[in-house]
Amino acid sequence: MTIDDENRPARQRITLTGISSRAWEHPADRGALTALRELRGFDDVVRAFFGMWNERGFRLAYLAGSIRVDHRQYPRVYQRFIEAATTLDVAELPELYVTQAPMIHGEAIGMDKPFIVITTAAVEKLDDDELRALIGHEIGHVRSGHAVYKTIMMILTKWATNVSWIPIGAIALRAIIAAMYEWWRKAELSADRAGLLAGQDPAASTRLLMKLAGGGDLTQIDTAAFLEQAAEYQGGGDLRDSIHKIGMTAWSSHPVPVARAAELRRWVDSGEYGRILTGEYDRRDSDGNASVTADVKAAASHYRETFQNSQDPLVTLARRVTGGAADLGDWAGTQAGRARNWASTAAGAATRAARRTSQPADGTDGGPNEGTNDGTNDGPNGGTSTP
């Protein structure tokens, strides 16, 4: 804690009693989550098929090689954790670990009992308000179920890639993976909103993103100039820049920091953030009434609005060629419906595969007994690597 932190008056934060994760979820993220939640038993099937060895292994690895945060270990971090959880009205805290790493980073990992990990760089380089925003971001991932559903999608993708008997072409598979990454990027925007609601300090949330982009020394960085970068990134250049941006983001789970800062600023400017602070938000007790149709329509509306307002040269050209965006909402809704149908099909396939693997393997076929649960994932299984 710095001297400035010690002398700074405590910010009064509003406890968002009973708030549902739907209140902060980005429309495109919420549409996908609602569809997945409607697939009753889908996550149970995947758990039964693949087991929980990877999650248990990751937790044991952090238990063995990192610091579990509580009132005795990293008490400053623990206090910010309590404050963020209290503001978001989280009664049962997930476990929180600090791990040694030189980059500001955090993630939420797991399916049955998700836990949160942040790095020593985050502890050292973030002030109290920024740290609260980071931890709130990760709590948002846990509350939205991102750790669960991202684990499922990562496992199914690995399964589909490794098991040759699945009747799906390489092009179709790449399209599914690209769509998954698009969802993941929107999930990060949702978590950014949760982090802002946890800290209720827009300046601190922006500083967090600035530090993610440029390190911990903000004496050399200007907020207005950083947001100017965001505007130039999103609308500047020509078609070559647009193509480069597609290559930069298509296979990335995170939007770039300047885009995240601009998106968070737009959310604040829209008035939605302020309305939540005044008590106008979805409650957890109404989650059962969520409508898949309404959420898919909201996602379609988001993509339609983005297409209409984007200054990107490639999108501008597409508007000229297509004569506008009148049909984009219908297209987005159709794709969301197809994604849900794919998830339902995947659930059925997982059920059939689980039944097969419950029988002794005879080694005579190339089915799911080979290479589906070897624990050699490229990254934390189910981690929502953030920010």
Side-chain angles (χ1 to χ4, degrees), residues 150-193:
K150 287 184 180 180
T151 297
I152 292 171
M153 290 298 141
M154 288 172 68
I155 291 174
L156 286 176
T157 301
K158 183 177 177 63
W159 176 45
T161 302
N162 292 341
V163 182
S164 60
W165 49 267
I166 293 182
I168 185 169
I171 294 177
L173 178 59
R174 288 178 65 86
I176 290 172
I177 295 172
M180 285 171 48
Y181 276 123
E182 166 65 12
W183 169 43
W184 288 14
R185 290 190 292 272
K186 295 303 186 288
E188 290 301 323
L189 299 180
S190 296
D192 283 343
R193 296 176 178 184

Side-chain angles (χ1 to χ4, degrees), residues 11 13 79-81 83-84 87 126-137 195 198-201:
R11 175 180 292 273
R13 288 174 296 277
Q79 185 59 36
R80 303 294 85 75
F81 186 30
E83 291 167 357
T87 302
L126 301 179
D127 67 26
D128 283 357
D129 294 328
E130 297 155 4
L131 183 59
R132 192 182 298 107
L134 170 62
I135 294 173
H137 177 110
Q200 298 177 15
D201 186 345

Side-chain angles (χ1 to χ4, degrees), residues 116-128:
I116 295 170
V117 181
I118 65 173
T119 61
T120 50
V123 177
E124 294 163 1
K125 296 180 179 180
L126 301 179
D127 67 26
D128 283 357

Side-chain angles (χ1 to χ4, degrees), residues 2 14 85 108 143 167 174 191 195 200 228 232 272 275 300 317 320 378:
T2 67
I14 299 168
R143 284 284 313 280
R174 288 178 65 86
Q200 298 177 15
E228 287 173 7
E232 181 177 345
E272 185 62 27
R275 284 191 290 273
L317 177 62
R320 292 173 181 170
D378 294 333

Side-chain angles (χ1 to χ4, degrees), residues 14-283:
I14 299 168
T15 299
L16 303 172
T17 305
I19 189 170
S20 168
S21 62
R22 291 169 52 78
W24 63 69
E25 286 163 2
H26 187 281
D29 173 31
R30 188 169 62 243
L33 286 173
T34 302
L36 285 170
R37 290 163 183 158
E38 283 294 300
L39 299 176
R40 306 299 182 190
F42 180 42
D43 49 351
D44 293 332
V45 167
V46 177
R47 285 190 181 98
F49 179 58
F50 293 100
M52 293 305 301
W53 294 107
N54 287 337
E55 179 179 336
R56 295 176 68 89
F58 276 112
R59 181 185 177 277
L60 285 173
Y62 285 110
L63 188 65
S66 302
I67 302 297
R68 183 165 58 189
V69 175
D70 60 21
H71 66 281
R72 300 160 298 173
Q73 303 196 109
Y74 283 112
R76 172 190 167 234
V77 175
Y78 184 67
Q79 185 59 36
R80 303 294 85 75
F81 186 30
I82 293 295
E83 291 167 357
T86 298
T87 302
L88 295 177
D89 196 24
V90 177
E92 184 177 352
L93 297 179
E95 288 187 330
L96 173 63
Y97 292 88
V98 173
T99 193
Q100 178 71 25
M103 302 291 289
I104 299 172
H105 185 67
E107 57 189 341
I109 302 170
M111 292 174 65
D112 271 355
K113 293 186 67 176
F115 59 93
I116 295 170
V117 181
I118 65 173
T119 61
T120 50
V123 177
E124 294 163 1
K125 296 180 179 180
L126 301 179
D127 67 26
D128 283 357
D129 294 328
E130 297 155 4
L131 183 59
R132 192 182 298 107
L134 170 62
I135 294 173
H137 177 110
E138 300 306 332
I139 292 174
H141 276 311
V142 172
R143 284 284 313 280
S144 288
H146 291 150
V148 173
Y149 291 114
K150 287 184 180 180
T151 297
I152 292 171
M153 290 298 141
M154 288 172 68
I155 291 174
L156 286 176
T157 301
K158 183 177 177 63
W159 176 45
T161 302
N162 292 341
V163 182
S164 60
W165 49 267
I166 293 182
I168 185 169
I171 294 177
L173 178 59
R174 288 178 65 86
I176 290 172
I177 295 172
M180 285 171 48
Y181 276 123
E182 166 65 12
W183 169 43
W184 288 14
R185 290 190 292 272
K186 295 303 186 288
E188 290 301 323
L189 299 180
S190 296
D192 283 343
R193 296 176 178 184
L196 173 55
L197 290 170
Q200 298 177 15
D201 186 345
S205 290
T206 301
R207 292 199 308 271
L208 170 60
L209 294 169
M210 292 167 66
K211 287 185 176 181
L212 286 171
D217 183 8
L218 290 186
T219 63
Q220 305 294 319
I221 306 174
D222 180 77
T223 301
F226 184 69
L227 294 175
E228 287 173 7
Q229 284 183 233
E232 181 177 345
Y233 171 81
Q234 292 183 314
D238 56 22
L239 288 175
R240 292 169 297 180
D241 294 303
S242 297
I243 293 171
H244 281 303
K245 284 189 283 188
I246 292 173
M248 288 168 54
T249 60
W251 307 106
S252 173
S253 61
H254 287 60
V256 294
V258 294
R260 290 170 63 180
E263 178 65 27
L264 198 59
R265 175 62 65 88
R266 278 193 294 271
W267 188 61
V268 172
D269 292 344
S270 74
E272 185 62 27
Y273 168 68
R275 284 191 290 273
I276 290 176
L277 295 188
T278 63
E280 295 183 32
Y281 53 78
D282 291 322
R283 263 67 175 182

Side-chain angles (χ1 to χ4, degrees), residues 254-380:
H254 287 60
V256 294
V258 294
R260 290 170 63 180
E263 178 65 27
L264 198 59
R265 175 62 65 88
R266 278 193 294 271
W267 188 61
V268 172
D269 292 344
S270 74
E272 185 62 27
Y273 168 68
R275 284 191 290 273
I276 290 176
L277 295 188
T278 63
E280 295 183 32
Y281 53 78
D282 291 322
R283 263 67 175 182
R284 289 193 292 269
D285 57 13
S286 65
D287 282 348
N289 299 324
S291 166
V292 176
T293 300
D295 286 338
V296 168
K297 286 182 177 179
S301 178
H302 159 75
Y303 283 113
R304 183 190 302 112
E305 182 179 350
T306 299
F307 186 80
Q308 289 172 337
N309 297 330
S310 174
Q311 300 302 310
D312 183 88
L314 185 59
V315 177
T316 300
L317 177 62
R319 283 201 301 264
R320 292 173 181 170
V321 171
T322 61
D327 298 328
L328 187 66
D330 293 339
W331 177 87
T334 299
Q335 300 313 305
R338 289 177 178 173
R340 186 184 179 209
N341 290 339
W342 174 83
S344 181
T345 301
T351 302
R352 293 189 294 272
R355 290 169 180 165
R356 284 196 291 270
T357 55
S358 65
Q359 303 171 355
D362 59 9
T364 59
D365 64 7
N369 294 315
E370 300 179 6
T372 57
N373 194 17
D374 58 5
T376 56
N377 291 324
D378 294 333

